[in-house]
Amino acid sequence: MVSTSTQIAGFAFDNCLMNAAGVACMTKEELEEVKDSAAGTFVTKTATLEFRQGNPEPRYQDVPLGSINSMGLPNNGLDYYLDYLLELQESEPNRTFFLSLVGMSPEETHAILQKVQASDFKGITELNLSCPNVPGKPQIAYDFETTEKILSEVFAYFTKPLGIKLPPYFDIVHFDQAAAIFNKYPLKFVNCVNSIGNGLYIEDESVVIRPKNGFGGIGGQYIKPTALANVHAFYQRLKPEIQIIGTGGVLTGRDAFEHILCGASMVQVGTTLYKEGVVAFERITTELKTIMEEKGYESLEDFRGKLKYIEE
Ligand code: SIN
């Protein structure tokens, strides 16, 4: 019997596929749809302390090999997602869900995390250190000093399971430096990767999204090699207690297989979920299981992280 079950932070999930924060997760109705699909769990839209309208539209565009977005963290505010998750804990006590969040300043991030810490929330928290789309706010995890300061302050009071959503890194030295910081903290996971920030897509003579004169985060097929490199680089460098969630360019079971081969314990689907809807989870799961069957693998542990290199 082939199984795609997995665990993160000691919580069990009957499937390793889930949505990526930002897709199908703004409203309770969208989250319910993911919850009731073949996905193993869901993550909410990244919540700020208060409701945010986000950037002006059009701010998301499907493009041939993926997507470009500059959403600007539109969301219903922390209480909307936290209240829903607290209700779900009662009605679905055997399942675990992810809450994504970040503040518009370090102070707001701490206020949000302190609220989660003080609540009865028993799920997993993902701190988004990588949104590329808020004008004037750089992607936090590209600033190692700020990232380390935030993590050291957070872990002084936050004792619930916590992971971080990362932007893609492109330099081996940056993988080394980032991993050295993350290894100092009791993180449960890192999620690699958010969109590749500030790309530009042009049709005829014009950009396709309004915010920032068309600059936006790139997702989909364009980013799979970068996503896989980040998953594997952190799998090689992080202490084993810090698991990897792989995100980026997952269209097929083969893509999910490659993320797991690179070291991912969970795989998130963003652009493909946006384009295809929640039926994508069943299709990708079936394709992944077929590959596992062909190779004689019964569980993800049989091949996780076992990427082969070309010997000298
Ligand atoms: C956004 O809301 O701008 C996308 C979220 C993200 O990239 O973190």
Side-chain angles (χ1 to χ4, degrees):
M1 257 309 264
V2 171
S3 165
T4 57
S5 65
T6 191
Q7 62 90 24
I8 293 282
F11 296 102
F13 301 92
D14 63 11
N15 193 3
C16 63
L17 298 179
M18 63 184 290
N19 68 305
V23 182
C25 59
M26 186 83 79
T27 65
K28 291 178 201 179
E29 291 71 26
E30 288 174 320
L31 289 164
E32 288 278 312
E33 230 197 313
V34 178
K35 173 174 77 66
D36 297 335
S37 74
T41 181
F42 67 64
V43 59
T44 68
K45 175 66 187 167
T46 298
T48 51
L49 197 53
E50 308 293 346
F51 166 88
R52 272 178 63 84
Q53 195 72 50
N55 293 338
E57 296 183 354
R59 56 193 184 181
Y60 178 100
Q61 179 70 43
D62 282 333
V63 294
L65 296 180
S67 61
I68 183 166
N69 90 84
S70 183
M71 303 298 288
L73 293 177
N75 74 93
N76 288 312
L78 176 70
D79 288 348
Y80 177 91
Y81 302 103
L82 189 55
D83 289 349
Y84 171 56
L85 288 165
L86 292 173
E87 278 169 32
L88 263 189
Q89 277 178 195
E90 301 302 317
S91 58
E92 306 250 7
N94 297 323
R95 294 187 70 183
T96 303
F97 301 97
F98 288 65
L99 169 64
S100 173
L101 53 79
V102 75
M104 301 310 293
S105 64
E107 294 71 31
E108 187 183 317
T109 295
H110 290 308
I112 297 172
L113 283 170
Q114 275 159 353
K115 210 165 167 182
V116 175
Q117 174 69 23
S119 77
D120 284 333
F121 179 57
K122 296 188 181 74
I124 301 175
T125 301
E126 177 174 286
L127 174 60
N128 182 357
L129 296 180
S130 49
C131 178
N133 302 329
V134 181
K137 303 273 180 198
Q139 288 165 90
I140 299 167
Y142 282 151
D143 175 346
F144 291 143
E145 212 176 302
T146 302
T147 298
E148 175 144 31
K149 186 169 186 306
I150 290 174
L151 291 178
S152 71
E153 289 169 357
V154 164
F155 284 111
Y157 60 85
F158 199 81
T159 58
K160 298 184 179 194
L162 180 78
I164 47 178
K165 177 87 172 267
L166 296 175
Y169 297 102
F170 301 94
D171 193 295
I172 298 297
V173 171
H174 292 162
F175 290 135
D176 291 340
Q177 291 172 339
I181 294 168
F182 303 150
N183 277 332
K184 291 187 200 169
Y185 298 98
L187 287 163
K188 296 296 184 197
F189 66 90
V190 298
N191 183 345
C192 308
V193 293
N194 206 321
S195 57
I196 296 184
N198 297 300
L200 201 50
Y201 191 86
I202 296 171
E203 265 171 11
D204 190 15
E205 297 184 19
S206 172
V207 301
V208 295
I209 54 172
R210 185 185 304 272
K212 296 166 66 179
N213 287 339
F215 285 73
I218 305 294
Q221 287 174 74
Y222 299 107
I223 80 166
K224 189 178 77 170
T226 297
L228 294 177
N230 277 259
V231 168
H232 198 55
F234 284 109
Y235 183 76
Q236 290 171 313
R237 287 166 177 76
L238 293 179
K239 56 188 179 184
E241 303 91 285
I242 305 180
Q243 296 178 274
I244 319 284
I245 296 180
T247 306
V250 178
L251 276 78
T252 65
R254 172 70 203 184
D255 300 322
F257 179 82
E258 290 177 12
H259 269 272
I260 298 160
L261 198 62
C262 285
S265 292
M266 179 76 95
V267 177
Q268 295 189 340
V269 185
T271 299
T272 298
L273 175 59
Y274 190 95
K275 290 186 176 182
E276 192 177 325
V278 293
V279 289
F281 290 119
E282 202 172 328
R283 177 184 60 75
I284 297 169
T285 306
T286 304
E287 292 168 358
L288 174 58
K289 282 185 170 170
T290 302
I291 294 167
M292 290 171 65
E293 260 159 18
E294 282 166 4
K295 290 178 173 286
Y297 297 142
E298 291 181 352
S299 71
L300 304 193
E301 286 69 42
D302 291 344
F303 64 100
R304 178 184 301 118
K306 295 187 181 158
L307 179 64
K308 294 184 179 129
Y309 307 128
I310 299 171
E311 302 297 335
E312 291 287 304

